Amino acid sequence: MKPAALLIICLILLAVVTFGQSKKKAPVVDANQLLFEQRLKSELERLSVYSGGKLGVTALHIESGKMISQNGAEAFPMASTFKVPIAVQLLTKVDSGKLSLDQMVEIKREDMHPGSGMIAERFNWPNNISPGLSLSVRSLMELMLLISDNSATDVCLRLAGGASAVTSCMKRLGINGIRVDRSTAILIADFVGVTMPSGKPWMNTTFDSLAHLIKPGEAETFSKALDSDPRDTSTPDGMANLLLQIYTKPILKESSKALLLDIMKRCESGAARLKGLLPIGTEVAHKTGTIGMTTNDVGIITLPGDGGHLIVSAFVKSSTKEIPDRERALAEVTRLIFDYTIMFYQVNAEKNSMSAR
């Protein structure tokens, strides 16, 4: 029997035992709770090994405040999860009236950036011809969060005031451990070891020609360097705090909060990560991130019934395994915490009910 399955069975037995206990036996429940938390910790350590790298995870049950964390204070490369703090800063400017969601933004040739997305793929015309494309701020944000479009992201970052403005926004909110330093274009260039000509507009053709000159051994060195680079990183605790504030604090107007969560619920990537092993139909508002040896997913899960909401901020870095293995580790971590949280919530609800009798 797999350890995860054994843990779930033990938790069910705990609930059954707890149901039959009198108030005088409540300390036994606390001892059992500690035992199962130790087993949960062991499972997280096992899954960290399975990920092939280092696993960082912070989970928070919003309604009870129950928190689980492993390597929660350690910095991990954000990859595309940094698009969540960008969206918060962008919507802050919308809320203040400095931007409008309906405002149209011209997309220029130098806005076509490498990596994920569809704008550069479909509109990156040759021979320095402008793509003749304009998109609304809302459309750009949707593309950034729904399909992780890097070109849309860097336009959103510019509209948000740049990387320093996003980091300042995090500090203003009292969130430690999140810093944004570069555009996705520069991050990718640094990741592959390309130095773009200074003082000139970005051109994907220039990037591609320089990238072809990088030897495989050199590329691996640059990739590994990303894991120790303090730039564009987040701690699992910091990202969980940001998600908590989005959901529970008035950091955004209600309309902006609703829009952000709605887009994240429709995120098209990461089906095998946070959502991978959850019951079919479970609502998850999330954002993924992948680069080099890093695979991430962060989001808010709606628990069944009146179980409340579970924040999971999960990162894997320095992994020597393929992406599907890292994704499986994230999926198992999420399901483990999902089941544990439901049981914890139910057991304590019953405990409180017995105490009130």
Side-chain angles (χ1 to χ4, degrees):
M1 181 178 294
K2 291 184 178 180
L6 179 61
L7 176 63
I8 294 171
I9 292 174
C10 290
L11 287 170
I12 294 173
L13 290 175
L14 171 63
V16 173
V17 171
T18 303
F19 185 82
Q21 288 179 330
S22 67
K23 288 185 286 184
K24 294 181 180 180
K25 294 183 179 181
V28 177
V29 177
D30 294 335
N32 285 335
Q33 192 68 51
L34 178 60
L35 172 63
F36 290 118
E37 287 183 1
Q38 291 172 341
R39 291 177 178 173
L40 176 64
K41 181 179 179 181
S42 295
E43 274 297 286
L44 291 175
E45 291 171 351
R46 178 187 71 82
L47 289 169
S48 184
V49 174
Y50 178 80
S51 75
K54 175 168 278 191
L55 170 69
V57 58
T58 296
L60 175 65
H61 184 239
I62 293 177
E63 284 74 14
S64 70
K66 178 67 176 176
M67 183 174 177
I68 298 166
S69 185
Q70 176 170 289
N71 298 318
E74 183 167 340
F76 287 76
M78 279 191 286
S80 285
T81 64
F82 91 136
K83 295 168 185 179
V84 178
I86 290 175
V88 170
Q89 168 59 9
L90 182 67
L91 287 170
T92 298
K93 294 194 71 173
V94 170
D95 288 348
S96 67
K98 295 178 181 178
L99 282 175
S100 167
L101 289 172
D102 296 330
Q103 180 178 328
M104 300 302 292
V105 181
E106 180 184 1
I107 308 301
K108 301 178 180 179
R109 183 173 172 79
E110 55 264 34
D111 292 323
M112 302 300 179
H113 290 172
S116 61
M118 52 77 70
I119 295 180
E121 179 183 342
R122 288 167 172 78
F123 296 98
N124 194 16
W125 294 2
N127 303 322
N128 297 321
I129 300 174
S130 287
L133 176 68
S134 291
L135 293 168
S136 68
V137 172
R138 174 172 179 154
S139 294
L140 288 164
M141 189 172 68
E142 292 237 4
L143 288 170
M144 174 176 72
L145 295 172
L146 283 179
I147 63 172
S148 211
D149 190 288
N150 285 344
S151 299
T153 298
D154 286 345
V155 175
C156 285
L157 181 60
R158 184 178 72 238
L159 294 172
S164 61
V166 178
T167 301
S168 295
C169 175
M170 297 299 101
K171 292 180 179 178
R172 186 172 65 252
L173 295 174
I175 298 171
N176 297 317
I178 295 180
R179 55 178 289 181
V180 176
D181 299 272
R182 295 165 289 186
S183 65
T184 56
I186 299 302
L187 173 61
I188 291 173
D190 289 345
F191 167 67
V192 300
V194 167
T195 301
M196 293 292 285
S198 61
K200 294 184 179 180
W202 178 281
M203 290 294 170
N204 273 354
T205 51
T206 303
F207 172 81
D208 291 341
S209 63
L210 292 173
H212 284 309
L213 299 177
I214 304 298
K215 298 177 181 178
E218 294 175 332
E220 184 177 351
T221 299
F222 287 117
S223 175
K224 289 181 178 179
L226 181 71
D227 287 345
S228 58
D229 192 333
R231 294 176 295 173
D232 301 295
T233 57
S234 175
T235 63
D237 287 352
M239 187 62 74
N241 187 4
L242 175 59
L243 293 172
L244 177 66
Q245 292 207 34
I246 290 171
Y247 197 83
T248 65
K249 305 292 184 181
I251 64 172
L252 297 172
K253 290 184 177 179
E254 278 299 318
S255 57
S256 292
K257 168 187 170 180
L259 173 62
L260 177 56
L261 292 175
D262 175 66
I263 297 173
M264 291 177 67
K265 288 173 187 176
R266 294 184 282 116
C267 178
E268 296 180 8
S269 60
R273 300 185 190 184
L274 292 191
K275 301 169 70 172
L277 294 176
L278 295 180
I280 295 174
T282 301
E283 185 178 87
V284 183
H286 69 119
K287 182 70 193 79
T288 58
T290 308
I291 189 170
M293 304 167 78
T294 289
T295 300
N296 310 326
D297 202 359
V298 303
I300 304 170
I301 301 167
T302 301
L303 300 175
D306 61 351
H309 300 84
L310 176 65
I311 291 171
V312 177
S313 170
F315 299 80
V316 172
K317 69 177 179 179
S318 304
S319 179
T320 57
K321 289 192 174 183
E322 298 296 322
I323 290 176
D325 290 326
R326 304 177 216 167
E327 292 184 322
R328 179 70 185 195
L330 295 180
E332 289 204 26
V333 163
T334 305
R335 183 58 192 253
L336 182 70
I337 296 173
F338 177 88
D339 290 334
Y340 174 83
T341 303
I342 292 174
M343 192 58 62
F344 175 85
Y345 186 84
Q346 291 174 343
V347 167
N348 281 275
E350 176 61 29
K351 183 177 176 181
N352 293 335
S353 176
M354 292 174 65
S355 298
R357 293 174 187 172

